Amino acid sequence: MNVSLHNPSGNELVDIGFWCFVPMSTPDQTLAQLSTSIPYLLREDALGQQVFSTRIDRLAPYGSRSLALSLTVVKTAGSCPVAGEMAPWLGPEQFIESDAAEIVLLARKLHRGNDVETVRAAYQWVMSELQYEGFVAQDRGALYAARTRTGDCTEYAALLVALLRSNGIPARLLGGFVVDQDALLRSVDYHNWAEVCIDARWHIVDPQKGRWMPTSLNYVPFEIYRERHINEMEGAHRFKVDADVQVVL
């Protein structure tokens, strides 16, 4: 993973803090190795999200600095066992408006006789009814998707999660990369998908890519969306910087 930091001003910048997510620690995923040429800290939060941080001494006027992170991730096949309480994955959050009237009504229409069939109905509805409009940097959420029938992968996943939570099925929104063995991670390839809890295991459901409960081997999660801030990223996706610096990941 390559990170480029650029100083767009004519003034020198000093002591620049940089943070970014790296692959999570989960029962089916381990960050086996992280190597880079600069000093860094790696902190793991209660959800297994891991935040890489470092500080850049200085950036000359209009200067740039590149950071190269080499990551080795070990994956195991199968769905991921559930850990902890389900309550956090059942209620509404910002961008996952499972209590909004439009979403509650739609969720009722999609409810079926059991959880698996309800998940399937919601997945098929989102996959077929939403029109993909390409990457949009701004988060707009489930209610936006339900009203406009458009979105990028974030809205697809957020709406599916909201519909499932409205039907009392634990679900969550994840972000990361879908890869095939070795890969050079690029910001434009960042992807969001849903996970749903069935039979005490998390299963991937990816309506934007049209993948129903695929193997987790190709999905490398970096973060789980939470409205409440629980780490140094403070709600930022992918990276955070504490200076007026242009970042390309």
Side-chain angles (χ1 to χ4, degrees):
M1 183 169 73
N2 294 322
V3 181
S4 177
L5 294 86
H6 175 68
N7 179 3
S9 76
N11 301 314
E12 182 181 68
L13 299 176
V14 298
D15 193 26
I16 304 155
F18 173 80
W19 298 259
C20 71
F21 283 118
V22 295
M24 290 179 58
S25 174
T26 71
D28 67 344
Q29 173 175 294
T30 303
L31 179 59
Q33 182 183 21
L34 188 161
S35 60
T36 185
S37 60
I38 60 173
Y40 68 90
L41 293 175
L42 189 64
R43 293 190 176 94
E44 182 175 327
D45 66 23
L47 293 178
Q49 298 173 119
Q50 301 195 86
V51 179
F52 168 97
S53 64
T54 190
R55 303 203 73 85
I56 308 299
D57 291 339
R58 60 182 295 274
L59 266 180
Y62 307 110
S64 297
R65 176 76 180 272
S66 294
L67 312 176
L69 279 67
S70 177
L71 310 170
T72 301
V73 178
V74 176
K75 299 283 294 186
T76 56
S79 54
C80 185
V82 168
E85 296 293 327
M86 288 294 96
W89 316 114
L90 284 168
E93 297 183 81
Q94 183 184 25
F95 303 124
I96 303 177
E97 303 97 334
S98 56
D99 59 346
E102 295 100 317
I103 290 178
V104 171
L105 180 61
L106 178 57
R108 288 175 181 170
K109 292 179 179 178
L110 295 170
H111 187 270
R112 300 294 185 264
N114 59 64
D115 285 354
V116 173
E117 291 309 311
T118 299
V119 174
R120 191 187 301 273
Y123 159 78
Q124 291 176 339
W125 191 95
V126 172
M127 184 175 61
S128 62
E129 294 294 328
L130 264 59
Q131 180 178 353
Y132 184 66
E133 57 181 345
F135 170 73
V136 177
Q138 180 184 4
D139 291 334
R140 295 168 296 179
L143 190 56
Y144 171 92
R147 288 173 173 172
T148 67
R149 305 289 177 91
T150 62
D152 65 5
C153 62
T154 308
E155 281 71 52
Y156 276 68
L159 179 54
L160 178 56
V161 169
L163 290 170
L164 298 180
R165 290 186 184 182
S166 187
N167 272 317
I169 301 173
R172 59 190 189 180
L173 172 63
L174 280 78
F177 294 86
V178 183
V179 302
D180 182 14
Q181 297 184 359
D182 294 344
L184 177 62
L185 304 183
R186 304 180 305 163
S187 183
V188 294
D189 297 324
Y190 196 82
H191 184 58
N192 288 110
W193 62 90
E195 280 190 345
V196 56
C197 177
I198 297 176
D199 296 331
R201 302 186 76 85
W202 288 112
H203 300 267
I204 296 169
V205 185
D206 188 348
Q208 191 272 311
K209 288 187 178 294
R211 297 180 181 177
W212 169 258
M213 295 192 182
T215 175
S216 64
L217 288 176
N218 299 115
Y219 282 76
V220 182
F222 277 50
E223 63 170 319
I224 302 173
Y225 175 76
R226 288 269 74 187
E227 179 179 2
R228 183 173 60 86
H229 300 163
I230 61 173
N231 54 49
E232 301 127 302
M233 294 292 284
E234 298 178 332
H237 300 305
R238 297 184 289 280
F239 63 82
K240 185 185 79 170
V241 65
D242 65 0
D244 186 14
V245 173
Q246 295 173 346
V247 179
V248 177
L249 178 63

